[in-house]
């Protein structure tokens, strides 16, 4: 770092995004992207919006907000759109946490949570998962802290039932509970239905996964009008034009093309079930996933070795060195062709390991 770098950030350890190597063409199963292109309607709208890129985008996202409010059955001032769901998560750390209001989240979860806490100078507690990698709801009951829970969790893919989420929200009436639903469309139950019941609930989602728009950067939060007003105060104090015209238009198209969205989600679920069955035949233990990825470890082969060997074979998966995770690899569920390629490679790797 330079000698000009602020001391308040000198010990900051940044988030490590999934690798995007360009040295060869890989089967990319490491960053939970969709194997399917965006909706044709989303592509059409984005192309049309490109004709007016000389003009600023609408900071209020009025057309997109109207469409989304209709889609989710909420009021227009109960939703906020941002530049990817990482934006809304950071805004929530800024708006609802400080040195008097610390934050809590699982010790095995989305890697950005501790980074956001450190970046914003917020005291935080990382609550251990159970031995089976599930969240213990009792650990979050009435703890008087802002809570962040990814549901389904990452990188495990395990989801909490809605009634459990509600108990956590209800038991913390004086603190905001953020439910990060980046992967909810692949098998978990959304907490959006609870936002009119609990003023302290914020639900965040993204268009990156189930709506095939990772490269467009579009996320959102749904909550009470007061919470959304707080978040907009932060947004307008940083970058009110944080969503470009093309992304905004594509988001409208994606919401309009609900059949395309549903078809792709069902394809991912089917491919996930097939992949889990094939992995288990090869001696892998696979955690129960409600996401567009699975978390798997082999009984006899080190997770790092599997990751390295697959990469040499042109297949990328995500490996974590963190304690309790190093035996595992997170594998994105792609097209059936991609999953067949993966399983074929793993058969070669695991030969003789029984």
């Amino acid at each position: 770092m330079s000698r000009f770098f602020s001391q308040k950030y000198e010990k900051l350890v940044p988030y490590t995004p999934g690798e995007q190597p360009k040295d060869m063409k890989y089967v990319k199963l490491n960053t939970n992207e969709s194997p399917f292109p965006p909706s044709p309607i989303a592509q059409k709208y984005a192309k049309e919006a490109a004709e007016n890129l000389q003009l600023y985008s609408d900071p209020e996202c009025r057309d997109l907000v109207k469409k989304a409010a209709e889609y989710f059955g909420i009021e227009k001032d109960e939703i906020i759109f941002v530049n990817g769901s990482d934006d809304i998560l950071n805004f929530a750390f800024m708006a609802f946490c400080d040195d008097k209001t610390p934050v809590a989240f699982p010790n095995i979860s989305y890697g950005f949570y501790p980074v956001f806490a450190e970046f914003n100078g917020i005291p935080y507690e990382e609550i251990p998962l159970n031995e089976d990698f599930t969240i213990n709801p009792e650990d979050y009951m009435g703890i008087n802290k802002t809570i962040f829970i990814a549901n389904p969790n990452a990188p495990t893919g395990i989801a909490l039932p809605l009634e459990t989420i509600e108990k956590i929200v209800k038991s913390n009436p004086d603190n905001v509970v953020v439910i990060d639903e980046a992967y909810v469309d692949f098998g978990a139950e959304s907490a959006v239905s609870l936002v009119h019941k609990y003023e302290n609930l914020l639900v965040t989602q993204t268009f990156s996964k189930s709506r095939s728009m990772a490269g467009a950067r579009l996320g959102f939060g749904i909550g009470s009008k007061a919470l959304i007003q707080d978040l907009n105060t932060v947004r307008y104090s940083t970058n009110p034009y944080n969503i470009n015209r093309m992304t905004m238009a594509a988001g409208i198209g994606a919401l309009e093309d609900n059949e395309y969205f549903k078809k792709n989600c069902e394809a991912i679920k089917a491919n996930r079930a097939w992949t889990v069955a094939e992995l288990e035949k090869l001696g892998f233990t696979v955690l129960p996933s409600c996401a567009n990825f699975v978390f798997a470890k082999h009984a006899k082969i080190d997770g790092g070795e599997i990751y390295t060997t697959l990469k040499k074979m042109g297949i990328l998966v995500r490996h974590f060195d963190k304690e309790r995770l190093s035996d595992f690899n997170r594998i994105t569920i792609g097209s059936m062709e991609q999953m067949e390629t993966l399983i074929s490679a793993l058969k070669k790797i695991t030969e003789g390991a029984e």
Side-chain angles (χ1 to χ4, degrees):
M1 67 182 69
S2 78
R3 61 188 176 90
F4 307 105
F5 196 53
S6 173
Q7 288 186 353
K8 65 182 178 180
Y9 296 132
E10 64 182 2
K11 294 183 180 179
L12 186 66
V13 179
Y15 173 74
T16 303
E19 58 186 321
Q20 305 278 358
K22 301 295 182 183
D23 57 314
M24 61 180 285
K25 184 169 183 175
Y26 289 92
V27 175
K28 269 187 99 278
L29 303 176
N30 66 322
T31 49
N32 302 336
E33 297 150 312
S34 173
F36 310 114
S39 152
I41 299 176
Q43 294 184 52
K44 176 177 179 290
Y45 287 2
K47 185 177 180 180
E48 292 171 353
E51 297 175 2
N52 291 304
L53 288 182
Q54 78 277 15
L55 303 175
Y56 281 113
S57 55
D58 176 11
E60 296 181 42
C61 307
R62 280 168 289 194
D63 292 340
L64 177 56
V65 163
K66 180 182 178 182
K67 179 64 66 175
E70 294 170 353
Y71 183 91
F72 289 104
I74 57 174
E75 299 295 321
K76 289 185 288 186
D77 46 8
E78 293 174 332
I79 187 168
I80 176 176
F81 279 94
V82 289
N83 190 260
S85 61
D86 291 338
D87 234 13
I88 193 69
L89 294 171
N90 189 31
F91 289 170
F93 271 87
M94 297 168 71
F96 308 124
C97 315
D98 52 38
D99 56 354
K100 296 180 181 178
T101 310
V103 63
F105 43 80
N107 69 332
I108 296 174
S109 192
Y110 186 30
F112 236 137
Y113 297 158
V115 177
F116 286 143
E118 292 281 358
F119 184 83
N120 291 295
I122 299 163
Y124 63 96
E125 177 186 7
E126 294 183 284
I127 300 176
L129 296 182
N130 294 324
E131 284 301 310
D132 62 357
F133 292 96
T134 58
I135 289 173
N136 181 4
E138 294 302 318
D139 291 338
Y140 298 86
M141 298 296 180
I143 61 174
N144 298 315
K145 297 178 180 179
T146 302
I147 296 171
F148 285 77
I149 294 177
N151 196 49
N153 197 15
T156 66
I158 299 173
L160 287 172
L162 185 60
E163 57 266 29
T164 300
I165 294 292
E166 182 170 10
K167 288 178 182 177
I168 294 172
V169 175
K170 188 176 181 179
S171 74
N172 291 279
D174 297 321
N175 293 88
V176 173
V177 177
V178 180
I179 304 301
D180 178 0
E181 296 185 344
Y183 304 100
V184 72
D185 296 321
F186 301 106
E189 190 173 1
S190 176
V192 168
S193 61
L194 299 176
V195 296
H196 290 146
K197 191 173 181 181
Y198 300 98
E199 65 176 359
N200 63 321
L201 172 62
L202 176 67
V203 180
T204 68
Q205 290 191 22
T206 178
F207 280 59
S208 293
K209 318 299 181 183
S210 57
R211 289 186 168 84
S212 306
M213 285 175 53
R217 313 308 304 130
L218 183 63
F220 60 95
I222 295 177
S224 68
K225 296 177 182 181
L227 289 187
I228 298 304
Q229 185 177 25
D230 295 340
L231 293 165
N232 269 317
T233 296
V234 175
R235 184 171 73 91
Y236 275 83
S237 301
T238 52
N239 182 8
Y241 298 106
N242 63 340
I243 304 173
N244 68 71
R245 282 177 168 270
M246 295 175 68
T247 291
M248 216 177 291
I252 294 171
L255 290 174
E256 286 186 4
D257 203 350
N258 205 42
E259 288 306 311
Y260 184 82
F261 157 75
K262 288 182 178 178
K263 182 184 73 172
N264 288 347
C265 288
E266 290 305 314
I268 294 298
K269 291 180 191 177
N271 294 354
R272 182 181 66 203
W274 181 87
T275 302
V276 169
E278 293 300 312
L279 286 170
E280 290 176 343
K281 290 177 187 177
L282 296 176
F284 284 87
T285 297
V286 186
L287 299 186
S289 175
C290 288
N292 68 334
F293 58 82
V294 294
F295 206 48
K297 71 173 182 177
H298 195 268
K300 297 184 178 181
I301 306 176
D302 176 76
E305 180 183 344
I306 290 174
Y307 157 77
T308 301
T309 307
L310 283 173
K311 186 174 181 179
K312 291 177 181 177
M313 299 170 75
I315 302 171
L316 290 177
V317 296
R318 188 80 188 262
H319 184 255
F320 300 89
D321 292 326
K322 189 173 182 178
E323 187 179 357
R324 290 187 67 189
L325 302 184
S326 59
D327 288 338
F328 288 83
N329 283 293
R330 192 192 69 192
I331 303 168
T332 300
I333 301 300
S335 67
M336 182 53 71
E337 180 183 4
Q338 288 176 316
M339 305 323 294
E340 289 173 346
T341 299
L342 169 75
I343 295 300
S344 177
L346 288 174
K347 284 180 179 178
K348 296 176 183 177
I349 294 172
T350 56
E351 280 179 1
E354 300 301 323

